PDB file of all heavy atoms in Angstrom:
ATOM      1  N   LYS A  15      -9.719 -28.073 -13.348  1.00 98.00           N
ATOM      2  CA  LYS A  15      -9.398 -26.838 -12.605  1.00 98.00           C
ATOM      3  C   LYS A  15      -8.432 -27.001 -11.557  1.00 98.00           C
ATOM      4  O   LYS A  15      -8.402 -28.046 -10.828  1.00 98.00           O
ATOM      5  CB  LYS A  15     -10.742 -26.260 -12.034  1.00 98.00           C
ATOM      6  CG  LYS A  15     -11.813 -25.844 -13.058  1.00 98.00           C
ATOM      7  CD  LYS A  15     -11.491 -24.445 -13.639  1.00 98.00           C
ATOM      8  CE  LYS A  15     -12.739 -23.940 -14.419  1.00 98.00           C
ATOM      9  NZ  LYS A  15     -12.500 -22.609 -14.952  1.00 98.00           N
ATOM     10  N   LEU A  16      -7.494 -26.005 -11.426  1.00 98.00           N
ATOM     11  CA  LEU A  16      -6.494 -26.060 -10.347  1.00 98.00           C
ATOM     12  C   LEU A  16      -6.777 -24.916  -9.447  1.00 98.00           C
ATOM     13  O   LEU A  16      -7.091 -23.732  -9.913  1.00 98.00           O
ATOM     14  CB  LEU A  16      -5.122 -25.902 -10.865  1.00 98.00           C
ATOM     15  CG  LEU A  16      -4.563 -27.020 -11.805  1.00 98.00           C
ATOM     16  CD1 LEU A  16      -3.186 -26.643 -12.277  1.00 98.00           C
ATOM     17  CD2 LEU A  16      -4.474 -28.378 -11.112  1.00 98.00           C
ATOM     18  N   MET A  17      -6.740 -25.082  -8.128  1.00 98.00           N
ATOM     19  CA  MET A  17      -6.767 -24.003  -7.137  1.00 98.00           C
ATOM     20  C   MET A  17      -5.936 -24.370  -5.971  1.00 98.00           C
ATOM     21  O   MET A  17      -5.500 -25.499  -5.771  1.00 98.00           O
ATOM     22  CB  MET A  17      -8.274 -23.780  -6.754  1.00 98.00           C
ATOM     23  CG  MET A  17      -9.028 -24.875  -6.099  1.00 98.00           C
ATOM     24  SD  MET A  17     -10.676 -24.558  -5.638  1.00 98.00           S
ATOM     25  CE  MET A  17     -10.424 -23.485  -4.225  1.00 98.00           C
ATOM     26  N   CYS A  18      -5.728 -23.336  -5.149  1.00 98.00           N
ATOM     27  CA  CYS A  18      -4.912 -23.553  -3.953  1.00 98.00           C
ATOM     28  C   CYS A  18      -5.366 -22.613  -2.828  1.00 98.00           C
ATOM     29  O   CYS A  18      -6.064 -21.639  -3.064  1.00 98.00           O
ATOM     30  CB  CYS A  18      -3.372 -23.328  -4.328  1.00 98.00           C
ATOM     31  SG  CYS A  18      -2.927 -21.581  -4.597  1.00 98.00           S
ATOM     32  N   GLY A  19      -4.868 -22.986  -1.600  1.00 96.00           N
ATOM     33  CA  GLY A  19      -4.996 -22.092  -0.533  1.00 96.00           C
ATOM     34  C   GLY A  19      -3.763 -21.336  -0.272  1.00 96.00           C
ATOM     35  O   GLY A  19      -2.944 -21.121  -1.203  1.00 96.00           O
ATOM     36  N   ASN A  20      -3.482 -20.921   0.984  1.00 96.00           N
ATOM     37  CA  ASN A  20      -2.300 -20.119   1.260  1.00 96.00           C
ATOM     38  C   ASN A  20      -1.051 -20.890   1.734  1.00 96.00           C
ATOM     39  O   ASN A  20      -0.093 -20.260   1.992  1.00 96.00           O
ATOM     40  CB  ASN A  20      -2.727 -19.053   2.331  1.00 96.00           C
ATOM     41  CG  ASN A  20      -3.634 -17.988   1.807  1.00 96.00           C
ATOM     42  OD1 ASN A  20      -3.581 -17.500   0.669  1.00 96.00           O
ATOM     43  ND2 ASN A  20      -4.696 -17.619   2.618  1.00 96.00           N
ATOM     44  N   ALA A  21      -1.212 -22.157   1.888  1.00 98.00           N
ATOM     45  CA  ALA A  21      -0.162 -22.939   2.530  1.00 98.00           C
ATOM     46  C   ALA A  21       1.127 -22.936   1.696  1.00 98.00           C
ATOM     47  O   ALA A  21       2.248 -22.879   2.269  1.00 98.00           O
ATOM     48  CB  ALA A  21      -0.638 -24.369   2.789  1.00 98.00           C
ATOM     49  N   ASN A  22       0.990 -23.172   0.344  1.00 98.00           N
ATOM     50  CA  ASN A  22       2.149 -23.258  -0.556  1.00 98.00           C
ATOM     51  C   ASN A  22       1.900 -22.767  -1.896  1.00 98.00           C
ATOM     52  O   ASN A  22       1.845 -23.566  -2.842  1.00 98.00           O
ATOM     53  CB  ASN A  22       2.765 -24.707  -0.420  1.00 98.00           C
ATOM     54  CG  ASN A  22       4.186 -24.771  -0.933  1.00 98.00           C
ATOM     55  OD1 ASN A  22       4.662 -23.909  -1.616  1.00 98.00           O
ATOM     56  ND2 ASN A  22       4.824 -25.895  -0.707  1.00 98.00           N
ATOM     57  N   ARG A  23       1.737 -21.496  -2.066  1.00 97.00           N
ATOM     58  CA  ARG A  23       1.412 -20.921  -3.355  1.00 97.00           C
ATOM     59  C   ARG A  23       2.503 -21.153  -4.407  1.00 97.00           C
ATOM     60  O   ARG A  23       2.275 -21.390  -5.574  1.00 97.00           O
ATOM     61  CB  ARG A  23       1.029 -19.452  -3.259  1.00 97.00           C
ATOM     62  CG  ARG A  23      -0.310 -19.257  -2.610  1.00 97.00           C
ATOM     63  CD  ARG A  23      -0.849 -17.821  -2.648  1.00 97.00           C
ATOM     64  NE  ARG A  23      -2.160 -17.651  -2.103  1.00 97.00           N
ATOM     65  CZ  ARG A  23      -3.280 -17.807  -2.875  1.00 97.00           C
ATOM     66  NH1 ARG A  23      -3.110 -18.142  -4.211  1.00 97.00           N
ATOM     67  NH2 ARG A  23      -4.444 -17.790  -2.362  1.00 97.00           N
ATOM     68  N   PRO A  24       3.807 -21.050  -3.965  1.00 97.00           N
ATOM     69  CA  PRO A  24       4.921 -21.226  -4.990  1.00 97.00           C
ATOM     70  C   PRO A  24       4.819 -22.608  -5.615  1.00 97.00           C
ATOM     71  O   PRO A  24       5.011 -22.782  -6.864  1.00 97.00           O
ATOM     72  CB  PRO A  24       6.154 -21.038  -4.187  1.00 97.00           C
ATOM     73  CG  PRO A  24       5.720 -20.048  -3.134  1.00 97.00           C
ATOM     74  CD  PRO A  24       4.329 -20.487  -2.679  1.00 97.00           C
ATOM     75  N   LEU A  25       4.529 -23.701  -4.818  1.00 98.00           N
ATOM     76  CA  LEU A  25       4.410 -24.976  -5.312  1.00 98.00           C
ATOM     77  C   LEU A  25       3.180 -25.069  -6.238  1.00 98.00           C
ATOM     78  O   LEU A  25       3.273 -25.709  -7.363  1.00 98.00           O
ATOM     79  CB  LEU A  25       4.329 -26.026  -4.260  1.00 98.00           C
ATOM     80  CG  LEU A  25       4.073 -27.454  -4.634  1.00 98.00           C
ATOM     81  CD1 LEU A  25       5.257 -27.956  -5.430  1.00 98.00           C
ATOM     82  CD2 LEU A  25       3.884 -28.356  -3.436  1.00 98.00           C
ATOM     83  N   ALA A  26       2.109 -24.513  -5.839  1.00 98.00           N
ATOM     84  CA  ALA A  26       0.835 -24.574  -6.653  1.00 98.00           C
ATOM     85  C   ALA A  26       1.154 -23.935  -7.989  1.00 98.00           C
ATOM     86  O   ALA A  26       0.690 -24.399  -9.085  1.00 98.00           O
ATOM     87  CB  ALA A  26      -0.293 -23.966  -5.905  1.00 98.00           C
ATOM     88  N   LYS A  27       1.875 -22.725  -8.027  1.00 98.00           N
ATOM     89  CA  LYS A  27       2.124 -22.071  -9.288  1.00 98.00           C
ATOM     90  C   LYS A  27       3.055 -22.862 -10.206  1.00 98.00           C
ATOM     91  O   LYS A  27       2.880 -22.949 -11.402  1.00 98.00           O
ATOM     92  CB  LYS A  27       2.796 -20.738  -8.896  1.00 98.00           C
ATOM     93  CG  LYS A  27       3.186 -19.890 -10.122  1.00 98.00           C
ATOM     94  CD  LYS A  27       1.927 -19.460 -10.910  1.00 98.00           C
ATOM     95  CE  LYS A  27       2.200 -18.345 -11.910  1.00 98.00           C
ATOM     96  NZ  LYS A  27       3.134 -18.781 -12.988  1.00 98.00           N
ATOM     97  N   ALA A  28       4.073 -23.535  -9.460  1.00 98.00           N
ATOM     98  CA  ALA A  28       4.908 -24.458 -10.266  1.00 98.00           C
ATOM     99  C   ALA A  28       4.168 -25.640 -10.946  1.00 98.00           C
ATOM    100  O   ALA A  28       4.462 -25.988 -12.031  1.00 98.00           O
ATOM    101  CB  ALA A  28       6.047 -24.907  -9.401  1.00 98.00           C
ATOM    102  N   ILE A  29       3.239 -26.141 -10.183  1.00 98.00           N
ATOM    103  CA  ILE A  29       2.433 -27.222 -10.723  1.00 98.00           C
ATOM    104  C   ILE A  29       1.556 -26.738 -11.949  1.00 98.00           C
ATOM    105  O   ILE A  29       1.476 -27.319 -12.983  1.00 98.00           O
ATOM    106  CB  ILE A  29       1.506 -27.853  -9.643  1.00 98.00           C
ATOM    107  CG1 ILE A  29       2.431 -28.587  -8.650  1.00 98.00           C
ATOM    108  CG2 ILE A  29       0.505 -28.833 -10.316  1.00 98.00           C
ATOM    109  CD1 ILE A  29       1.615 -29.035  -7.352  1.00 98.00           C
ATOM    110  N   ALA A  30       1.017 -25.546 -11.701  1.00 98.00           N
ATOM    111  CA  ALA A  30       0.203 -24.978 -12.804  1.00 98.00           C
ATOM    112  C   ALA A  30       1.064 -24.760 -14.045  1.00 98.00           C
ATOM    113  O   ALA A  30       0.579 -24.918 -15.221  1.00 98.00           O
ATOM    114  CB  ALA A  30      -0.444 -23.661 -12.332  1.00 98.00           C
ATOM    115  N   ASP A  31       2.261 -24.248 -13.822  1.00 98.00           N
ATOM    116  CA  ASP A  31       3.140 -24.041 -14.962  1.00 98.00           C
ATOM    117  C   ASP A  31       3.444 -25.326 -15.691  1.00 98.00           C
ATOM    118  O   ASP A  31       3.562 -25.368 -16.919  1.00 98.00           O
ATOM    119  CB  ASP A  31       4.466 -23.301 -14.476  1.00 98.00           C
ATOM    120  CG  ASP A  31       4.225 -21.864 -14.107  1.00 98.00           C
ATOM    121  OD1 ASP A  31       3.188 -21.323 -14.448  1.00 98.00           O
ATOM    122  OD2 ASP A  31       5.082 -21.317 -13.382  1.00 98.00           O
ATOM    123  N   TYR A  32       3.701 -26.381 -14.956  1.00 98.00           N
ATOM    124  CA  TYR A  32       3.977 -27.711 -15.502  1.00 98.00           C
ATOM    125  C   TYR A  32       2.827 -28.201 -16.377  1.00 98.00           C
ATOM    126  O   TYR A  32       3.052 -28.701 -17.445  1.00 98.00           O
ATOM    127  CB  TYR A  32       4.299 -28.681 -14.386  1.00 98.00           C
ATOM    128  CG  TYR A  32       4.581 -30.059 -14.930  1.00 98.00           C
ATOM    129  CD1 TYR A  32       5.784 -30.509 -15.293  1.00 98.00           C
ATOM    130  CD2 TYR A  32       3.486 -30.989 -15.016  1.00 98.00           C
ATOM    131  CE1 TYR A  32       6.095 -31.756 -15.831  1.00 98.00           C
ATOM    132  CE2 TYR A  32       3.723 -32.319 -15.576  1.00 98.00           C
ATOM    133  CZ  TYR A  32       5.037 -32.710 -15.940  1.00 98.00           C
ATOM    134  OH  TYR A  32       5.279 -33.944 -16.440  1.00 98.00           O
ATOM    135  N   LEU A  33       1.614 -27.845 -15.898  1.00 98.00           N
ATOM    136  CA  LEU A  33       0.457 -28.396 -16.579  1.00 98.00           C
ATOM    137  C   LEU A  33      -0.070 -27.404 -17.603  1.00 98.00           C
ATOM    138  O   LEU A  33      -1.047 -27.690 -18.330  1.00 98.00           O
ATOM    139  CB  LEU A  33      -0.679 -28.719 -15.536  1.00 98.00           C
ATOM    140  CG  LEU A  33      -0.499 -29.874 -14.652  1.00 98.00           C
ATOM    141  CD1 LEU A  33      -1.493 -29.871 -13.568  1.00 98.00           C
ATOM    142  CD2 LEU A  33      -0.478 -31.216 -15.417  1.00 98.00           C
ATOM    143  N   ASP A  34       0.554 -26.218 -17.648  1.00 98.00           N
ATOM    144  CA  ASP A  34       0.131 -25.176 -18.533  1.00 98.00           C
ATOM    145  C   ASP A  34      -1.349 -24.876 -18.361  1.00 98.00           C
ATOM    146  O   ASP A  34      -2.127 -24.761 -19.300  1.00 98.00           O
ATOM    147  CB  ASP A  34       0.406 -25.520 -20.000  1.00 98.00           C
ATOM    148  CG  ASP A  34       0.297 -24.374 -20.942  1.00 98.00           C
ATOM    149  OD1 ASP A  34       0.465 -23.137 -20.508  1.00 98.00           O
ATOM    150  OD2 ASP A  34       0.051 -24.468 -22.166  1.00 98.00           O
ATOM    151  N   ALA A  35      -1.674 -24.763 -17.068  1.00 97.00           N
ATOM    152  CA  ALA A  35      -3.062 -24.471 -16.690  1.00 97.00           C
ATOM    153  C   ALA A  35      -3.041 -23.373 -15.633  1.00 97.00           C
ATOM    154  O   ALA A  35      -2.268 -23.402 -14.727  1.00 97.00           O
ATOM    155  CB  ALA A  35      -3.774 -25.674 -16.134  1.00 97.00           C
ATOM    156  N   PRO A  36      -4.060 -22.395 -15.691  1.00 97.00           N
ATOM    157  CA  PRO A  36      -3.964 -21.374 -14.694  1.00 97.00           C
ATOM    158  C   PRO A  36      -4.635 -21.786 -13.329  1.00 97.00           C
ATOM    159  O   PRO A  36      -5.360 -22.789 -13.308  1.00 97.00           O
ATOM    160  CB  PRO A  36      -4.915 -20.283 -15.309  1.00 97.00           C
ATOM    161  CG  PRO A  36      -5.873 -21.101 -16.147  1.00 97.00           C
ATOM    162  CD  PRO A  36      -5.041 -22.257 -16.634  1.00 97.00           C
ATOM    163  N   LEU A  37      -4.195 -21.096 -12.293  1.00 98.00           N
ATOM    164  CA  LEU A  37      -4.822 -21.316 -10.970  1.00 98.00           C
ATOM    165  C   LEU A  37      -6.113 -20.598 -10.942  1.00 98.00           C
ATOM    166  O   LEU A  37      -6.219 -19.346 -11.368  1.00 98.00           O
ATOM    167  CB  LEU A  37      -3.851 -20.855  -9.860  1.00 98.00           C
ATOM    168  CG  LEU A  37      -2.642 -21.727  -9.549  1.00 98.00           C
ATOM    169  CD1 LEU A  37      -1.778 -21.032  -8.564  1.00 98.00           C
ATOM    170  CD2 LEU A  37      -3.104 -23.095  -9.030  1.00 98.00           C
ATOM    171  N   SER A  38      -7.146 -21.200 -10.464  1.00 98.00           N
ATOM    172  CA  SER A  38      -8.458 -20.441 -10.362  1.00 98.00           C
ATOM    173  C   SER A  38      -8.456 -19.383  -9.284  1.00 98.00           C
ATOM    174  O   SER A  38      -7.688 -19.447  -8.386  1.00 98.00           O
ATOM    175  CB  SER A  38      -9.536 -21.543  -9.974  1.00 98.00           C
ATOM    176  OG  SER A  38      -9.664 -22.470 -11.000  1.00 98.00           O
ATOM    177  N   ASP A  39      -9.315 -18.385  -9.502  1.00 96.00           N
ATOM    178  CA  ASP A  39      -9.365 -17.319  -8.655  1.00 96.00           C
ATOM    179  C   ASP A  39     -10.203 -17.620  -7.367  1.00 96.00           C
ATOM    180  O   ASP A  39     -11.344 -18.008  -7.461  1.00 96.00           O
ATOM    181  CB  ASP A  39     -10.071 -16.046  -9.374  1.00 96.00           C
ATOM    182  CG  ASP A  39      -9.184 -15.498 -10.361  1.00 96.00           C
ATOM    183  OD1 ASP A  39      -8.001 -15.571 -10.353  1.00 96.00           O
ATOM    184  OD2 ASP A  39      -9.810 -14.923 -11.434  1.00 96.00           O
ATOM    185  N   VAL A  40      -9.512 -17.493  -6.250  1.00 96.00           N
ATOM    186  CA  VAL A  40     -10.106 -17.897  -4.943  1.00 96.00           C
ATOM    187  C   VAL A  40      -9.814 -16.739  -3.977  1.00 96.00           C
ATOM    188  O   VAL A  40      -8.686 -16.273  -3.833  1.00 96.00           O
ATOM    189  CB  VAL A  40      -9.604 -19.170  -4.392  1.00 96.00           C
ATOM    190  CG1 VAL A  40     -10.289 -19.548  -3.116  1.00 96.00           C
ATOM    191  CG2 VAL A  40      -9.736 -20.321  -5.384  1.00 96.00           C
ATOM    192  N   GLU A  41     -10.802 -16.207  -3.287  1.00 96.00           N
ATOM    193  CA  GLU A  41     -10.677 -15.265  -2.195  1.00 96.00           C
ATOM    194  C   GLU A  41     -10.739 -15.945  -0.845  1.00 96.00           C
ATOM    195  O   GLU A  41     -11.714 -16.611  -0.597  1.00 96.00           O
ATOM    196  CB  GLU A  41     -11.693 -14.147  -2.281  1.00 96.00           C
ATOM    197  CG  GLU A  41     -11.606 -13.316  -3.533  1.00 96.00           C
ATOM    198  CD  GLU A  41     -12.693 -12.317  -3.610  1.00 96.00           C
ATOM    199  OE1 GLU A  41     -12.916 -11.618  -2.550  1.00 96.00           O
ATOM    200  OE2 GLU A  41     -13.397 -12.165  -4.675  1.00 96.00           O
ATOM    201  N   ILE A  42      -9.683 -15.817  -0.047  1.00 96.00           N
ATOM    202  CA  ILE A  42      -9.655 -16.327   1.269  1.00 96.00           C
ATOM    203  C   ILE A  42      -9.411 -15.231   2.270  1.00 96.00           C
ATOM    204  O   ILE A  42      -8.370 -14.614   2.242  1.00 96.00           O
ATOM    205  CB  ILE A  42      -8.593 -17.454   1.480  1.00 96.00           C
ATOM    206  CG1 ILE A  42      -8.761 -18.638   0.498  1.00 96.00           C
ATOM    207  CG2 ILE A  42      -8.564 -18.015   2.827  1.00 96.00           C
ATOM    208  CD1 ILE A  42      -7.722 -19.650   0.477  1.00 96.00           C
ATOM    209  N   GLU A  43     -10.431 -14.942   3.058  1.00 96.00           N
ATOM    210  CA  GLU A  43     -10.343 -13.777   4.003  1.00 96.00           C
ATOM    211  C   GLU A  43     -10.634 -14.247   5.337  1.00 96.00           C
ATOM    212  O   GLU A  43     -11.097 -15.400   5.644  1.00 96.00           O
ATOM    213  CB  GLU A  43     -11.469 -12.745   3.576  1.00 96.00           C
ATOM    214  CG  GLU A  43     -11.268 -12.265   2.146  1.00 96.00           C
ATOM    215  CD  GLU A  43     -12.380 -11.358   1.699  1.00 96.00           C
ATOM    216  OE1 GLU A  43     -13.418 -11.282   2.438  1.00 96.00           O
ATOM    217  OE2 GLU A  43     -12.300 -10.717   0.577  1.00 96.00           O
ATOM    218  N   ARG A  44     -10.375 -13.373   6.299  1.00 95.00           N
ATOM    219  CA  ARG A  44     -10.667 -13.594   7.771  1.00 95.00           C
ATOM    220  C   ARG A  44     -11.527 -12.634   8.283  1.00 95.00           C
ATOM    221  O   ARG A  44     -11.409 -11.430   8.043  1.00 95.00           O
ATOM    222  CB  ARG A  44      -9.315 -13.647   8.515  1.00 95.00           C
ATOM    223  CG  ARG A  44      -8.440 -14.915   8.337  1.00 95.00           C
ATOM    224  CD  ARG A  44      -7.172 -14.783   9.229  1.00 95.00           C
ATOM    225  NE  ARG A  44      -6.354 -15.985   9.025  1.00 95.00           N
ATOM    226  CZ  ARG A  44      -6.496 -17.130   9.623  1.00 95.00           C
ATOM    227  NH1 ARG A  44      -7.436 -17.240  10.585  1.00 95.00           N
ATOM    228  NH2 ARG A  44      -5.662 -18.107   9.310  1.00 95.00           N
ATOM    229  N   PHE A  45     -12.494 -13.124   9.109  1.00 96.00           N
ATOM    230  CA  PHE A  45     -13.294 -12.118   9.865  1.00 96.00           C
ATOM    231  C   PHE A  45     -12.442 -11.656  11.079  1.00 96.00           C
ATOM    232  O   PHE A  45     -11.330 -12.159  11.351  1.00 96.00           O
ATOM    233  CB  PHE A  45     -14.518 -12.804  10.332  1.00 96.00           C
ATOM    234  CG  PHE A  45     -15.500 -13.231   9.221  1.00 96.00           C
ATOM    235  CD1 PHE A  45     -15.729 -14.500   8.986  1.00 96.00           C
ATOM    236  CD2 PHE A  45     -16.172 -12.182   8.576  1.00 96.00           C
ATOM    237  CE1 PHE A  45     -16.619 -14.829   7.957  1.00 96.00           C
ATOM    238  CE2 PHE A  45     -17.091 -12.561   7.537  1.00 96.00           C
ATOM    239  CZ  PHE A  45     -17.239 -13.854   7.269  1.00 96.00           C
ATOM    240  N   ALA A  46     -12.979 -10.663  11.712  1.00 96.00           N
ATOM    241  CA  ALA A  46     -12.245 -10.086  12.909  1.00 96.00           C
ATOM    242  C   ALA A  46     -11.847 -11.068  14.009  1.00 96.00           C
ATOM    243  O   ALA A  46     -10.792 -10.962  14.620  1.00 96.00           O
ATOM    244  CB  ALA A  46     -13.068  -8.894  13.527  1.00 96.00           C
ATOM    245  N   ASP A  47     -12.652 -12.076  14.154  1.00 96.00           N
ATOM    246  CA  ASP A  47     -12.324 -13.100  15.198  1.00 96.00           C
ATOM    247  C   ASP A  47     -11.563 -14.251  14.744  1.00 96.00           C
ATOM    248  O   ASP A  47     -11.307 -15.189  15.422  1.00 96.00           O
ATOM    249  CB  ASP A  47     -13.700 -13.636  15.767  1.00 96.00           C
ATOM    250  CG  ASP A  47     -14.500 -14.388  14.721  1.00 96.00           C
ATOM    251  OD1 ASP A  47     -14.190 -14.336  13.556  1.00 96.00           O
ATOM    252  OD2 ASP A  47     -15.578 -14.970  15.135  1.00 96.00           O
ATOM    253  N   GLY A  48     -11.034 -14.116  13.476  1.00 93.00           N
ATOM    254  CA  GLY A  48     -10.174 -15.153  12.901  1.00 93.00           C
ATOM    255  C   GLY A  48     -10.820 -16.219  12.057  1.00 93.00           C
ATOM    256  O   GLY A  48     -10.197 -17.073  11.478  1.00 93.00           O
ATOM    257  N   GLU A  49     -12.164 -16.279  12.051  1.00 96.00           N
ATOM    258  CA  GLU A  49     -12.866 -17.244  11.171  1.00 96.00           C
ATOM    259  C   GLU A  49     -12.516 -16.999   9.739  1.00 96.00           C
ATOM    260  O   GLU A  49     -12.339 -15.859   9.277  1.00 96.00           O
ATOM    261  CB  GLU A  49     -14.355 -17.103  11.385  1.00 96.00           C
ATOM    262  CG  GLU A  49     -14.824 -17.612  12.727  1.00 96.00           C
ATOM    263  CD  GLU A  49     -16.323 -17.585  12.752  1.00 96.00           C
ATOM    264  OE1 GLU A  49     -17.016 -17.269  11.844  1.00 96.00           O
ATOM    265  OE2 GLU A  49     -16.848 -17.928  13.944  1.00 96.00           O
TER     266      GLU A  49
END
């Protein structure tokens, strides 16, 4: 499985394309205080 955070999504997508594998669905959210 491949997944990524928000730091470099274009690179993660390019790696996924090279491997012909999808990026897993991940939700990254922030609470009001930044957590």
Side-chain angles (χ1 to χ4, degrees):
K15 294 277 190 179
L16 297 176
M17 61 179 285
C18 70
N20 292 318
N22 197 341
R23 286 186 176 275
L25 175 61
K27 181 65 168 61
I29 292 171
D31 289 344
Y32 177 88
L33 293 169
D34 195 22
L37 288 171
S38 297
D39 292 330
V40 182
E41 296 179 44
I42 301 177
E43 301 172 351
R44 285 183 181 273
F45 294 112
D47 64 353
E49 288 184 6

